[in-house]
Amino acid sequence: MPTDAHPGGGRRAGDGLRLALTTFTVWPVRAGRVDRATAGVAMALAPAVGALLGAVLAGVLLLVGAVAAPLVAAAVTLGAGALLTRGLHLDGLADTVDALGSYRRGAAALEIMKKPDVGPFGVAALVVVLLAQAAALAELAARSWPAALAGVVAATAAGRLGVTLACRRGVPAARPDGLGALVAGTVGPVAAGVGAVAVALVAVAAVPGRPWQGPVAVLAALAVAVLLLRHLVRRLGGITGDVLGATVEVVTTLVYLGLAATR
C-alpha cells in the first residue's frame, strides 16, 4: 500500500501523471516526486497514458495506410510503438519468457532476467508477438477510421491496464529494489475496475457490426493476464519491471487478435 505522505492530492496527481508518462513513453517531461504513493497514481493512470499512445499509433496506422499496403502500415506502426516506448516492453517480454523457459524458480530465474542477452525462448516470443500484432494491425488498417482508431486505442490502453492489475494490492515484488518494488501493491481495486470498464467501452466501436466483440476481447485478455501473473508470482516470487513489460505485450497482442477475428 502507499506509505509516504504527500503535501496535497493535486500535486500527487501531477507527479503521478509525470511518472506514468516517463515510465510508459518517451515523452520529455520533468520528473516530480517519486515514492510509492506517486507510483500508485502512475500505475492507476497507465491505461489513460496507453490510450494517448494508442491514439498516436492509430494516426500512424491510418496515415501510412492511406499511401501503402495495410501490412506496411502495420509494420511502420509497430516500429513507431517501439520507438515511443524505448522498446522496454518488448525487452521485458523477452527476459520474462527466457526465465520461464529455463524452468528455474526464484533467485535463479531472476538472475536470468538480469542478463543483457536474449535467449532462444525470448527471441521466439518476440517473433510470435510482433507477427501477431502486425497481422492484426493490417486487418484493422483495412477497416473504417473510427474502427481502426478504437481498436488501436483499446488494445494499447488494455496492455497498460494489465500493469494496473499487476500492481494491485496483494501482489508482491520479486526483488527488494527496482521498479517492481516501487509499484507492487500500490493500486486499489477501484482503479482497476474503472480502467477495465473504460477500455471495454472504447473497444465497442472496434469491430463494425459486432459491438460485443471488442469488450469480450478486452476482458478475455485481462483474465489471461491475471492467470499469467499468478504463475509468474509463483515462479519468481513477485513482479519485476520485466514482468510488467511482458504483461503489456501479452495483453496488447491478445486484444489485437480478438479484435481482428472476423469468423
Side-chain angles (χ1 to χ4, degrees), residues 89 93 96-97 129 133 158-159 221-222 224-225 228 232 243-257:
H89 309 318
L93 173 68
T96 301
V97 174
V129 161
Q133 290 187 12
L222 294 175
V224 171
L228 175 62
L232 289 170
V243 167
L244 299 182
T247 303
V248 169
E249 293 298 336
V250 169
V251 174
T252 301
T253 302
L254 291 176
V255 173
Y256 273 139
L257 292 176

Side-chain angles (χ1 to χ4, degrees), residues 70-249:
L71 189 57
V72 173
V76 173
T77 302
L78 288 177
L83 287 174
L84 293 175
T85 59
R86 308 181 194 90
L88 291 179
H89 309 318
L90 292 170
D91 179 70
L93 173 68
D95 289 342
T96 301
V97 174
D98 275 338
L100 291 176
S102 72
Y103 294 100
R104 297 182 183 179
R105 294 178 174 272
L110 292 173
E111 188 62 31
I112 291 174
M113 296 170 73
K114 290 175 63 177
K115 293 181 178 180
D117 58 327
V118 179
F121 288 106
V123 172
L126 290 175
V127 170
V128 170
V129 161
L130 290 174
L131 284 176
Q133 290 187 12
L137 279 168
E139 168 63 26
L140 291 180
R143 296 178 183 175
S144 65
W145 75 261
L149 174 63
V152 178
V153 169
T156 310
R160 280 69 188 170
L161 180 57
V163 173
T164 304
L165 292 176
C167 297
R168 67 190 186 279
R169 292 168 188 166
V171 179
R175 299 189 182 99
D177 54 8
L179 179 62
L182 176 65
V183 301
T186 59
V187 179
V190 174
V194 170
V197 171
V199 176
L201 288 175
V202 171
V204 168
V207 186
R210 297 183 181 183
W212 52 268
Q213 186 169 332
V216 169
V218 169
L219 296 178
L222 294 175
V224 171
V226 170
L227 295 176
L228 175 62
L229 286 165
R230 287 180 181 176
H231 179 65
L232 289 170
V233 169
R234 287 196 298 268
R235 287 285 301 274
L236 306 176
I239 63 170
T240 67
D242 283 334
V243 167
L244 299 182
T247 303
V248 169
E249 293 298 336

Side-chain angles (χ1 to χ4, degrees), residues 1-22:
M1 294 177 60
T3 55
D4 296 353
H6 203 283
R11 182 177 173 187
R12 177 184 296 173
D15 289 343
L17 178 59
R18 284 192 288 271
L19 180 59
L21 287 169
T22 56

